[in-house]
Amino acid sequence: PAIVETRGLTKVYGDGTEALKPLDLDIEEGEILALLGPNGAGKTTLISMLCGLVSPSSGQARVGGHDIITRYRDARALIGLVPQEIALEPFQKVWDAVRFTRGLFGQGRDDAHLEDVLRKLSLWDKRRSKVNELSGGMKRRVLIAKALSHNPRVLFLDEPTAGVDVDLRRDMWNMVADLRRDGVTIILTTHYIEEAEAIADRVGVINHGELLLLEDKQALMTRL
Ligand code: ADP
Ligand code: ADP
C-alpha cells in the first residue's frame, strides 16, 4: 500500500495564490520520488503540507495511513524533513539539537543511533560545538542529522543540493543509497533534471501548482 497518499489536496494562500491544484498522489513504500519544477511551482508547499507544516485548503494527506492533520503526532513520527531554509537554535550544541528532534518525534533515547548519524555526516567531532559556530555546509548537515534522528520511514528533502559543496553532495547521495537499502521512502524536490534522473525511481513534474506528469524514470527519459 501507499505510505504517502493525497486526495484532492489543494493550497490557496491568503493572498489568493493557488500554490497547489487538486492533487491525488500515491507514493509507495521504499520508493524514491523526485518532484521536478521551476521556482514557484509549488514544490515546497506540497512538501510542507505532507509534513503538517502548512494546512491544506481542501483535501487530505495521509502518511502511514495517518491523516497529517487529525493524526499529526502519529504521522509526524514517521517523517524526517530536511527543509530548504536553515532554521536552527543558534546556541544549541549539535548533539543537543539532534537529540531534541529525536525527543520530539522518536520513541525513547537511542544515543548509539544518534552517534551513528553524526559520524556518517562527519559531525561527530563537532557534536559539542554550538550551531552558530558552524559553517553553512555544517549547519546543513545538522539539519540532515536532525531529520534522521528518529529513524523516519519517509524522508523529505527540499532542494537538498541547492548551493551545497561537493563533499556534502557526495555524502548526501551515499546517505540516500543507504536509506534506500533500508526501505526508507524518499521524496525530494529539485530543479535539476540530472538530479532527478540520477536517483529517483519516479519523477513528477510540477508547474504552476499542477502535477503535469508522473512517470517511472525510464519512461520519462525515453520521452525527453
Ligand atoms: P517552489 O517550492 O516550487 O519554489 P513554493 O511552494 O515555494 O514553490 O511556491 C508556490 C507558489 O506559492 C509561489 O507562487 C509562491 O510565491 C507562493 N507562496 C509560497 N509561500 C507562500 C506564502 N506563505 N504566502 C503566499 N504565497 C506563497
Ligand atoms: P540527561 O540530563 O538527559 O541525562 P545527558 O547526560 O545525556 O542528559 O547529557 C548531558 C549533556 O552532555 C548534554 O547537554 C550534551 O551536551 C552532552 N552529551 C550527552 N551525551 C553526549 C554524547 N554522546 N556526545 C556528546 N555530548 C553528549
Side-chain angles (χ1 to χ4, degrees):
I3 190 158
V4 179
E5 321 164 61
T6 75
R7 292 294 176 268
L9 189 69
T10 72
K11 183 65 187 180
V12 181
Y13 284 110
D15 63 0
T17 304
E18 204 177 358
L20 189 70
K21 293 180 181 159
L23 177 67
D24 293 347
L25 179 62
D26 288 303
I27 303 169
E28 298 302 315
E29 184 145 29
E31 173 171 30
I32 301 188
L33 173 68
L35 295 168
L36 186 64
N39 271 327
K43 304 183 297 296
T44 300
T45 299
L46 172 56
I47 282 193
S48 303
M49 283 199 287
L50 294 177
C51 297
L53 298 175
V54 164
S55 57
S57 301
S58 62
Q60 294 94 42
R62 279 184 292 274
V63 176
H66 309 296
D67 186 281
I68 191 66
I69 303 295
T70 60
R71 303 275 305 280
Y72 174 74
R73 286 192 61 82
D74 294 323
R76 190 60 180 83
L78 302 175
I79 294 172
L81 168 63
V82 182
Q84 204 175 330
E85 302 297 329
I86 294 178
L88 292 164
E89 291 291 332
F91 302 113
Q92 209 168 30
K93 290 178 186 169
V94 169
W95 174 265
D96 296 330
V98 173
R99 211 179 57 165
F100 178 76
T101 305
R102 167 102 199 168
L104 279 183
F105 305 125
Q107 294 185 332
R109 283 175 67 166
D110 185 347
D111 289 353
H113 171 65
L114 298 190
E115 175 171 348
D116 185 46
V117 166
L118 291 179
R119 286 190 186 281
K120 278 187 180 144
L121 287 161
S122 307
L123 280 171
W124 182 245
D125 294 343
K126 299 278 184 200
R127 66 191 181 280
R128 292 192 183 86
S129 300
K130 291 194 178 98
V131 164
N132 66 354
E133 293 163 356
L134 303 179
S135 68
M138 292 305 256
K139 284 180 185 149
R140 200 154 277 289
R141 287 172 185 265
V142 174
L143 292 179
I144 299 169
K146 282 163 74 78
L148 297 177
S149 67
H150 56 110
N151 304 94
R153 296 307 300 159
V154 184
L155 181 66
F156 292 93
L157 301 167
D158 198 1
E159 302 273 359
T161 59
V164 313
D165 61 54
V166 200
D167 283 353
L168 179 48
R169 200 175 284 237
R170 187 201 53 229
D171 288 357
M172 190 108 65
W173 297 148
N174 288 337
M175 175 192 85
V176 166
D178 284 355
L179 294 169
R180 179 205 283 276
R181 270 194 297 278
D182 293 342
V184 174
T185 306
I186 299 176
I187 295 137
L188 67 112
T189 71
T190 179
H191 34 242
Y192 301 113
I193 182 104
E194 303 78 25
E195 199 162 281
E197 182 185 5
I199 69 158
D201 302 312
R202 266 202 307 173
V203 178
V205 178
I206 300 193
N207 201 8
H208 300 303
E210 199 171 359
L211 186 64
L212 300 172
L213 192 72
L214 181 62
E215 285 193 7
D216 289 346
K217 182 175 68 185
Q218 269 69 26
L220 183 68
M221 292 312 145
T222 57
R223 301 214 311 169
L224 293 174

